Amino acid sequence: MFTGIITDVGRVRAVERQGDTRFTIETAFDTETIAIGASIAHNGVCLTVIEKGPGTYVIQASRETLSKTTLGGWEAGTRINLERALKVGDELGGHIVSGHVDGVGRLLSIRPEGESLRLTFEAPATLAKYIAPKGSVAIDGVSLTVNEVDGSRFGVNIIPHTQTATTFGGLKEGDAVNLEIDMLARYVARLAGQE
């Protein structure tokens, strides 16, 4: 489990595509404190650490993961939002995030709003019903509050801190992003018989 509060922006150092794909990740995390088998969220995707070295670790992604997320487009140099798994007793600053991406959305527009940026995204039609104004959504692993919803489109505000502490400062219109809907919304829909 995660909170959607990014604690490092890492970088893909190397990609090895053979059977499953292996990614070597550069990080500011103290890799001595990361156990082999640990779960880390990468742009919202929970992946297992299989090797590590000073300032780097290796993860492996299956074809299924590559096809359902943005990971298939990663290459050496790609910047990624990282979050280590939540520990009992940690502060829950965002919302409960599982690291199981529900789908890929697209950034439609970016416009300045005060010192912040207003970003409008389009979600796949199958996920749109779970996104509600003032609800939570994880975009590339970042816990955000939804401002408004119009069909499958929704908007969020990105304050200056989030622009610099995540990969959001480098997003461009048309970019694909990983989306995870609020798990409470999914369970409410299930109980209401909508899923």
Side-chain angles (χ1 to χ4, degrees), residues 77-149:
T78 299
R79 296 175 70 238
I80 50 177
N81 295 318
L82 301 175
E83 180 187 0
R84 293 184 67 176
L86 182 65
K87 294 179 186 155
V88 174
D90 282 353
E91 180 179 327
L92 184 61
H95 72 282
I96 296 174
V97 177
S98 69
H100 303 158
V101 169
D102 293 299
V104 175
R106 188 149 313 277
L107 177 58
L108 298 177
S109 68
I110 304 171
R111 73 172 202 266
E113 192 170 274
E115 293 179 30
S116 298
L117 295 175
R118 174 65 64 106
L119 276 55
T120 301
F121 293 91
E122 184 160 35
T126 55
L127 299 182
K129 66 182 176 183
Y130 300 107
I131 300 173
K134 303 307 173 201
S136 297
V137 65
I139 303 173
D140 276 350
V142 181
S143 173
L144 294 164
T145 301
V146 176
N147 287 334
E148 74 279 330
V149 176

Side-chain angles (χ1 to χ4, degrees), residues 12 36 48 52 55 58 83 102 121 182 186:
V12 176
I36 299 297
T48 303
K52 64 180 186 170
V58 177
E83 180 187 0
D102 293 299
F121 293 91
D182 183 3
R186 180 179 301 285

Side-chain angles (χ1 to χ4, degrees), residues 18-68:
Q18 51 186 346
D20 287 346
T21 300
R22 293 166 50 99
F23 297 97
T24 302
I25 307 298
E26 294 176 357
T27 183
F29 293 151
D30 177 1
T31 55
E32 289 292 319
T33 66
I34 298 173
I36 299 297
S39 295
I40 297 177
H42 302 77
N43 275 7
V45 182
C46 178
L47 295 165
T48 303
V49 174
I50 60 169
E51 294 175 20
K52 64 180 186 170
T56 66
Y57 62 86
V58 177
I59 54 174
Q60 191 170 7
S62 68
R63 287 185 183 142
E64 173 75 6
T65 299
L66 298 176
S67 72
K68 303 288 190 213

